[in-house]
Amino acid sequence: MPSVSQFELYPLGDAAVTVRFGSAVDPAVFEAVQEAAGRLERARHPLATEITCAYATVTVYYEGGAGEGGPVQRAAEVGDSFSKAKAGGATGASEVRMDAGSEAEVRRADMPEEKSGIPSDGASWQGFRISAEAPISGESPISPDSAYGRICSWIRERLHDMSEAEPADGAGESASGASLFEIPVCYGGAYGPDLVEVARRCGLTEDAVVELHSRDVYKVYMVGFAPGFPYLGVVPPQLEMPRRAEPRLSVAAGSVGLAGRQTGIYPLESPGGWQIIGRTPVRLFHPLRQPPALLRPGDRVRFVPVPEAKFEELRRLAVPKGGKGGGL
């Protein structure tokens, strides 16, 4: 696991702090990410509103920047006032300085910094990147009393001994609730229109590509791009694929694709540039399910090849009476 001195913190906007442990797809780095996210989640800071993780980062969203009276609310107020002023509405120069020349200047002038501790001038944000051990005092531009300063101090305190201590109760993948999912996939044909091209690029038969893709168990490194879209890795090096030269305007929900050393599943019909090799009837995202996304970072996935008849049987099982099919 990377040592504590290897991470850095920096603002993600004015209401979130990102903790970065590395810059590559690395199982060891992701192990540190999961451990850090678990520690921060269990010790929730009163200002923290959400904690998310991805390949090499953990991001903590907090009140103070986006909370009542914070910059986001003030930005909305300023923007609303500015719109009224431009429309000739009832607002005075004390609220919106029309002579400032541009909306950007008005926002910079009126955005408060005392809540989040982050300046509204984006060019200055680089100065707020700090290592795991840099002091938040003295010559540091970070006020220890600001929300940003308090969250950074709390993160470093919680992660201080992470590289040395044994995982606390409830830490680690097995205790975090991570699950193994077996995802049925119908490969090739209309369900996987790029399987032939992928096999040609790999110098393998289509059956060999399917065997390779379904041989390993993949970890969910991140959920993003579309609601519930899992980024899974890493695929065998033989299956490393470039994105399509021309992305499709529409990729069917459930499509399983390859891009780089990753494989993923489109939860919804959407545009996409990944090489599509199959499709699953499993529904990855349902807005009325709790949680809506089936997979979360840390979960593992094994793809199970199924023939077309089985795919259609599973798809029909998921069709509600009088409704449209959408997967399991």
Side-chain angles (χ1 to χ4, degrees):
M1 182 180 298
S3 72
V4 67
S5 62
Q6 291 177 303
F7 72 76
E8 67 168 358
L9 302 98
Y10 55 85
L12 183 67
D14 59 0
V17 177
T18 291
V19 189
R20 177 178 291 279
F21 290 87
S23 58
V25 180
D26 184 327
V29 170
F30 190 64
E31 181 184 349
V33 166
Q34 287 185 286
E35 169 66 13
R39 286 183 173 224
L40 297 176
E41 189 68 63
R42 289 190 296 275
R44 272 290 184 115
H45 191 283
L47 291 179
T49 58
E50 185 177 0
I51 298 171
T52 62
C53 64
Y55 290 93
T57 61
V58 177
T59 296
V60 178
Y61 297 84
Y62 60 88
E63 296 282 356
E68 182 177 358
V72 172
Q73 182 188 29
R74 288 283 294 127
E77 294 171 355
V78 170
D80 183 58
S81 299
F82 187 73
S83 298
K84 290 178 181 176
K86 288 200 295 186
T91 185
S94 60
E95 294 178 75
V96 179
R97 289 185 280 277
M98 291 296 290
D99 58 353
S102 71
E103 184 174 4
E105 288 175 302
V106 171
R107 288 177 182 274
R108 283 202 299 272
D110 284 9
M111 287 281 283
E113 299 175 5
E114 68 276 11
K115 287 286 187 179
S116 68
I118 303 299
S120 54
D121 178 1
S124 300
W125 287 22
Q126 286 295 323
F128 286 76
R129 301 174 75 98
I130 54 175
S131 70
E133 298 172 335
I136 306 179
S137 62
E139 298 180 355
S140 171
I142 304 170
S143 168
D145 297 325
S146 67
Y148 181 71
R150 282 185 285 167
I151 288 292
C152 286
S153 296
W154 168 71
I155 290 172
R156 299 200 303 186
E157 179 183 341
R158 296 307 307 172
L159 305 186
H160 175 68
D161 60 348
M162 195 176 73
S163 62
E164 302 171 0
E166 293 295 325
D169 291 343
E173 182 179 337
S174 60
S176 68
S179 301
L180 172 63
F181 291 82
E182 292 194 335
I183 304 290
V185 177
C186 183
Y187 288 93
Y191 305 101
D194 295 325
L195 179 60
V196 173
E197 175 62 14
V198 168
R200 186 191 68 78
R201 285 177 176 270
C202 295
L204 300 170
T205 65
E206 295 172 40
D207 288 343
V209 170
V210 172
E211 182 177 355
L212 268 178
H213 185 257
S214 58
R215 181 191 65 186
D216 294 344
V217 173
Y218 302 107
K219 180 168 288 188
V220 180
Y221 279 95
M222 171 182 150
V223 175
F225 161 62
F229 185 104
Y231 287 81
L232 306 164
V234 291
V235 299
Q238 301 98 312
L239 298 183
E240 184 172 347
M241 282 290 121
R243 293 169 59 89
R244 286 174 53 85
E246 294 186 11
R248 290 184 171 89
L249 295 179
S250 178
V251 175
S255 293
V256 177
L258 293 169
R261 294 291 304 278
Q262 303 171 101
T263 183
I265 309 170
Y266 285 77
L268 307 169
E269 181 178 337
S270 67
W274 291 35
Q275 307 282 356
I276 305 302
I277 60 173
R279 192 185 306 172
T280 178
V282 173
R283 192 166 184 172
L284 274 288
F285 179 82
H286 193 302
L288 300 182
R289 191 169 58 199
Q290 193 56 246
L294 178 67
L295 304 174
R296 63 177 183 170
D299 283 340
R300 294 168 297 148
V301 170
R302 176 187 291 119
F303 294 109
V304 180
V306 296
E308 180 177 355
K310 184 65 174 178
F311 173 93
E312 293 298 335
E313 176 187 348
L314 294 172
R315 190 174 66 86
R316 284 193 295 272
L317 288 175
V319 178
K321 291 183 179 179
K324 297 181 179 179
L328 299 175

